[in-house]
Amino acid sequence: MGPLDTLRVVELAGGAPTAYAATLLADLGADVVRIDRPAPGGRHHAADPLGRGRRSMAADLKVENDLRDVRSLIDRADVFLEGMRPGMCERLGLGPDALTASNPRLIYARLSGWGHAGPWAQRPGHDISFLAMAGLLDSDRPAAGPPAPPAPPSTYLSTFAGGGMLQALGILAALHERTRSGRGQVVDAAMVDGAAMLDVMTRQWRDLPGNVTVTDAPFYTTYACQDGLYVAVGAIEPRFYATLLECLALDPASLPDRADEAAWPALRTRLAAAFAEHTRDHWTKVFDEHEACVVPVLNPTEAPGHPALHERGTFVEVAGTHQPAPSPRFIRTPAAAPTPAPAPGEHTAELPHTWRTPAN
């Protein structure tokens, strides 16, 4: 089931960003096999969303027989994913030259921090590293403050959105090209490149006259309510801002000009005092009836139960836990419900006999 039904994917277990790319493909119907290290008695989390929807084959890639079995599986696959440090797969005998020689239609998708060539290819890094080098942390700098907000973005911007998701996009593009050429190719995704791609709108926004940076804006932030819970305010456009003030019972004439950045601290103080007068649930009910881009800040436990997300089916239950549902949706070829993450090596015995012929 799903639009990627019959697509054969081999994932070399490694970092979370590539596991995320494999999850995206599995969610959309691809038959994903993860190559795990042999780990008898190791920890297994059936509810791991980065392991759901695939099968697992255990292999010690330094053992000739195991490596041969893995190579045989890749020879029958459409896609091979890896997120190892540059050069590691080549040393294991799983580099692109070796694999595409025996399977010319293979899409070899690799993901790294800084790319597989260049002076920083072997350099380690984390999400904050790629955001900093690509200019995004400076983009988020408040009007007066350090080159990053007090709490840098969580570890999903460059690694997941700019890493694993772009790796999956590259795979789909290469598969489309293969329908014309009949040939596979290497997809080289780098998280620093993906971070730069995420900044395309804000670069343009900063260069247009009259625009303000919303990072430190009092109309684009969170506010504490009477009960210590928070609401998120995104009233950038004038009509949303006007509705915001109306719902808070604030007279615009009594407030500083929102276009005057020097007056933002004073404006923030007034808005904070207004939100502190009532609970988060009170403000949620008020803004449910008005369009001001004001919503409650939900924790991960609350989010699946919110009526809007529940009705949409944004979350599904897998192995007793709520996880994001496969996305996007396909009306004619809907994806199946995700299955729990397999134990490492759970399908080792059956896999050599499953894919009997090369992939289409």
Side-chain angles (χ1 to χ4, degrees), residues 8-337:
R8 298 175 174 181
V9 178
V10 175
E11 168 201 0
L12 184 60
T18 291
Y20 178 59
T23 292
L24 294 176
L25 300 178
D27 279 354
L28 299 183
D31 184 357
V32 179
V33 175
R34 185 183 66 214
I35 307 302
D36 283 307
R37 296 183 181 90
R43 292 190 303 170
H44 166 54
H45 301 287
D48 179 10
L50 293 180
R52 73 188 190 190
R54 67 260 261 165
R55 294 180 288 171
S56 170
M57 176 178 179
D60 183 343
L61 299 178
K62 296 181 180 179
V63 174
E64 185 177 347
N65 288 344
D66 285 11
L67 180 60
R68 184 177 63 248
D69 288 343
V70 171
R71 287 284 301 267
S72 175
L73 201 65
I74 297 171
D75 283 346
R76 292 169 281 167
D78 295 289
V79 179
F80 175 68
L81 290 93
E82 64 99 346
M84 309 294 285
R85 180 167 288 195
M88 178 66 71
C89 280
E90 282 82 352
R91 290 193 288 275
L92 292 171
L94 296 175
D97 291 343
L99 298 188
T100 57
S102 55
N103 183 358
R105 292 174 55 81
L106 181 70
I107 307 301
Y108 189 113
R110 58 195 341 175
L111 176 63
S112 62
W114 309 101
H116 275 256
W120 278 26
Q122 297 295 328
R123 194 182 184 97
H126 286 295
D127 202 84
I128 194 172
S129 315
F130 311 127
L131 294 175
M133 289 294 292
L136 272 73
L137 283 188
D138 188 74
S139 299
D140 285 341
R141 183 180 64 228
S154 186
T155 58
Y156 50 73
L157 280 181
S158 63
T159 48
F160 281 68
M165 189 172 290
L166 278 186
Q167 186 181 25
L169 174 63
I171 289 168
L172 299 181
L175 287 168
H176 175 71
E177 191 280 334
R178 194 180 71 175
T179 64
R180 300 194 304 268
S181 68
R183 299 172 58 195
Q185 62 180 302
V186 176
V187 176
D188 180 3
M191 285 175 264
V192 69
D193 298 344
M197 284 293 296
L198 295 175
D199 196 34
V200 290
M201 188 198 80
T202 53
R203 285 179 182 273
Q204 176 195 25
W205 178 265
R206 288 192 303 271
D207 293 339
L208 294 177
N211 284 337
V212 296
T213 302
V214 297
T215 303
D216 201 32
F219 45 84
Y220 195 84
T221 187
T222 59
Y223 288 99
C225 302
Q226 188 182 68
D227 52 6
L229 302 177
Y230 285 78
V231 294
V233 176
I236 300 175
E237 293 82 357
R239 68 185 181 94
F240 295 146
Y241 182 70
T243 303
L244 169 69
L245 299 187
E246 179 184 346
C247 291
L248 293 175
L250 292 173
D251 180 4
S254 71
L255 299 173
D257 182 0
R258 80 175 209 141
D260 180 7
E261 295 190 35
W264 279 359
L267 179 56
R268 184 188 300 275
T269 298
R270 292 289 301 278
L271 295 177
F275 276 111
E277 292 179 359
H278 297 285
T279 65
R280 185 191 69 176
D281 287 349
H282 167 85
W283 291 121
T284 298
K285 293 177 181 177
V286 168
F287 286 103
D288 272 351
E289 300 174 0
H290 298 84
E291 294 185 350
C293 296
V294 178
V295 298
V297 176
L298 304 177
N299 64 39
T301 302
E302 294 175 306
H306 188 279
L309 305 187
H310 179 74
E311 184 175 343
R312 167 69 179 168
T314 300
F315 293 89
V316 295
E317 188 170 313
V318 181
T321 67
H322 284 103
Q323 298 182 11
S327 182
R329 314 287 175 84
F330 294 85
I331 303 305
R332 186 169 54 81
T333 57

Side-chain angles (χ1 to χ4, degrees), residues 8 55 57 72-73 76 347-357:
R8 298 175 174 181
R55 294 180 288 171
M57 176 178 179
S72 175
L73 201 65
R76 292 169 281 167
H347 305 94
T348 302
E350 70 181 56
L351 278 167
H353 310 288
T354 302
W355 293 350
R356 294 186 177 279
T357 58

